[in-house]
Amino acid sequence: MEKRKLSFLQIWNMSFGFLGIQMGFALQNANASRILQIFGADVHELSWFWIIAPLMGLIVQPIIGHYSDKTWGRFGRRKPYFLVGAILASIGLILMPQADLFIAFLPALWVGTGFLMIMDASFNIAMEPFRALVGDNLRTDQRTLGFSVQTALIGFGAVVGSWLPYALTNWFGVSNETSAGVVPANLIWSFIIGAAVLIISILVTVTTTKEYSPEEMASFDNETVEESEEENSSLLDIFDDFKKMPATMRQLSWVQFFSWFGLFGMWVFATPAIAQHIYGLPHTDSSSSVYQDAGDWVGILFGIYNLVSAFYAFALPYIAKKIGRKKTHSISLIIGGLGLLSIYIMPDKNWLIVSMIGVGIAWASILAMPYAILAGSISAKKMGVYMGIFNFFIVIPQIINALIGGPLVKYAYNNEAIFALLISGFSFLIAAALVYKVKDVDDVVQTN
């Protein structure tokens, strides 16, 4: 048997939940550092709080991948996981910026960090099965398109999430003023809206997408259902699967390491770096109106790179068909690395838009190309667990950056966070060079 060829609308609906997931993720990326600073965190401590995100991914995604491979019920294989993850993530989104409501029990910084942990764990519960769903439902010749559509929806969701605080203040008059220890109203309402969109978008995917039955999935690999179900398997098999990972996955691991090391540095330190380097604020300022303006502008910049990624994602399948997936990914990473490095020389905040265009091109490719390359090298019956294990190479570099990033900013960079962004740029360039060591087993390049 062969998998059905899906229409563009079917592929769009299948990934539509990523719009809400990434809207919530973008709100977190653009604003978590600012919220934690409002609750009392110092600049050099930010990466330590952010370590929660990759730790949750390291723990949650392989486990969810393993169990989603084994889940066959009336509600489907992957769908129950993104629905539960969306509900839990929405709770974290609503309560994180309102952590000061719980100061009678614990300091707001601790409570905010706790809800950040809930958000990250829940995003990971929802995110990994979405990656596996594309591998499950799409034929080889549609996978690049599938991951590119997913990337476009990620981009559109992130644009809305990143721009929402700025839009609420400048277009709808919601205050962005704050007092000591209190998150401004525009952030609180942005997170509430993000939670609502997350639930609605996940429901679109759940209600419109059909998953293959166990018998159908087994037939695609010419196996019996009993073989593909592996009744005696256990969670400990993840360690055996890790040892047996395909060569392509091992090669991609180094590309992922340097890509995500760079991304993490940008997400954590963009707000303090731009507040200091472009707005001229001291590293001790986290509550002035100018600092809030800088934070809102970082949201705009993050929205721009996500908007660029959304449109560039539609071009990726055509570029990859012409020059190959590896070359496409390498060139995109080079452009992104140069974009991050250019932040240092930009004369004012508006010129940073140019830098973010480069970052957006890299971001689109990071979200699509490695997964399109990986999916062709693994069996359908292991799609979920290997997508989860692949996440190791996303979260481990973030954990390393979280551990060393703060001390580097404080002691090596003299609290000048802009140098963390420069390291991120160089990290992208290293990743671009390592792409050429990857063997893409099912790439199709047009020769005419």
Side-chain angles (χ1 to χ4, degrees):
M1 286 186 64
E2 188 179 11
K3 294 178 182 178
R4 298 180 295 272
K5 185 171 185 177
L6 300 187
S7 68
F8 181 84
L9 181 61
Q10 288 173 313
I11 295 173
W12 179 271
N13 287 338
M14 181 176 65
S15 292
F16 192 76
F18 248 119
L19 180 83
I21 291 174
Q22 196 61 31
M23 182 174 172
F25 200 52
L27 282 165
Q28 174 188 303
N29 283 347
N31 300 292
S33 289
R34 180 167 34 152
I35 291 170
L36 292 172
Q37 283 187 281
I38 289 171
F39 288 151
D42 292 329
V43 171
H44 70 275
E45 297 173 335
L46 289 176
S47 64
W48 297 340
F49 289 105
W50 272 79
I51 200 172
I52 294 167
L55 275 176
M56 289 297 100
L58 184 66
I59 296 167
V60 171
Q61 286 215 20
I63 295 173
I64 295 299
H66 173 84
Y67 283 114
S68 72
D69 280 342
K70 313 302 176 187
T71 299
W72 300 96
R74 59 181 294 192
F75 298 111
R77 186 186 194 187
R78 315 290 183 186
K79 291 192 288 187
Y81 292 92
F82 18 98
L83 183 57
V84 171
I87 293 170
L88 294 175
S90 297
I91 294 171
L93 278 167
I94 292 170
L95 294 179
M96 184 201 171
Q98 301 185 76
D100 56 310
L101 297 176
F102 301 89
I103 57 175
F105 306 99
L106 288 170
L109 183 58
W110 293 15
V111 177
T113 303
F115 284 123
L116 179 62
M117 181 177 67
I118 291 172
M119 264 196 299
D120 280 311
S122 305
F123 285 141
N124 280 289
I125 291 170
M127 197 176 300
E128 190 284 328
F130 260 111
R131 297 290 191 194
L133 184 64
V134 172
D136 288 345
N137 280 15
L138 294 185
R139 303 172 352 168
T140 297
D141 61 344
Q142 288 195 299
R143 279 179 181 156
T144 301
L145 174 61
F147 286 115
S148 296
V149 167
Q150 207 171 76
T151 300
L153 285 163
I154 287 171
F156 291 135
V159 169
V160 177
S162 298
W163 287 358
L164 195 52
Y166 181 92
L168 288 178
T169 296
N170 291 275
W171 301 346
F172 299 100
V174 180
S175 173
N176 71 344
E177 295 181 2
T178 184
S179 57
V182 178
V183 174
N186 68 331
L187 287 188
I188 292 173
W189 279 106
S190 294
F191 276 62
I192 292 171
I193 294 169
V197 173
L198 173 56
I199 294 293
I200 293 168
S201 64
I202 289 287
L203 287 174
V204 170
T205 292
V206 168
T207 56
T208 62
T209 300
K210 182 180 182 294
E211 296 187 81
Y212 287 112
S213 69
E215 293 79 11
E216 289 172 316
M217 290 299 295
S219 69
F220 299 142
D221 276 355
N222 297 317
E223 302 164 344
T224 65
V225 176
E226 288 75 21
E227 285 174 331
S228 67
E229 286 296 290
E230 299 182 12
E231 294 178 358
N232 296 322
S233 65
S234 72
L235 188 59
L236 296 177
D237 290 342
I238 292 174
F239 298 101
D240 189 52
D241 292 329
F242 186 89
K243 290 188 291 186
K244 295 178 180 178
M245 76 175 73
T248 298
M249 190 170 171
R250 293 183 186 275
Q251 295 156 357
L252 279 169
S253 69
W254 289 104
V255 179
Q256 293 292 84
F257 181 94
F258 286 99
S259 300
W260 287 87
F261 186 93
L263 286 168
F264 187 84
M266 179 187 72
W267 290 332
V268 173
F269 294 109
T271 297
I274 289 171
Q276 296 167 20
H277 191 68
I278 302 297
Y279 285 76
L281 296 177
H283 70 87
T284 53
D285 187 344
S286 61
S287 59
S288 70
S289 61
V290 177
Y291 183 86
Q292 300 308 318
D293 289 341
D296 287 347
W297 186 247
V298 169
I300 293 295
L301 295 174
F302 278 25
I304 287 168
Y305 88 68
N306 280 290
L307 184 63
V308 170
S309 77
F311 287 106
Y312 185 62
F314 288 115
L316 280 172
Y318 303 98
I319 299 171
K321 191 176 289 187
K322 291 291 185 182
I323 66 174
R325 291 188 291 218
K326 285 168 52 177
K327 188 176 290 186
T328 299
H329 192 38
S330 181
I331 292 172
S332 300
L333 285 169
I334 291 171
I335 294 171
L338 294 176
L340 283 170
L341 293 173
S342 70
I343 293 174
Y344 188 79
I345 61 172
M346 291 305 180
D348 59 52
K349 69 174 189 177
N350 294 312
W351 277 96
L352 296 178
I353 294 172
V354 177
S355 303
M356 290 299 111
I357 290 172
V359 172
I361 289 170
W363 177 232
S365 191
I366 289 168
L367 291 175
M369 288 296 108
Y371 296 96
I373 295 169
L374 175 68
S377 69
I378 54 182
S379 166
K381 68 180 181 180
K382 292 286 187 181
M383 189 68 68
V385 70
Y386 273 128
M387 286 292 181
I389 290 172
F390 195 51
N391 193 58
F392 286 172
F393 312 119
I394 293 174
V395 300
I396 289 173
Q398 294 183 69
I399 291 170
I400 293 172
N401 197 332
L403 291 173
I404 68 174
L408 283 174
V409 168
K410 183 175 182 179
Y411 299 108
Y413 312 149
N414 195 29
N415 287 310
E416 294 186 49
I418 185 63
F419 291 106
L421 302 191
L422 299 184
I423 294 298
S424 292
F426 285 119
S427 189
F428 273 24
L429 298 181
I430 295 170
L434 291 170
V435 171
Y436 288 97
K437 292 185 174 291
V438 177
K439 181 180 180 181
D440 191 349
V441 297
D442 71 344
D443 196 10
V444 178
V445 182
Q446 280 185 348
T447 56
N448 56 354

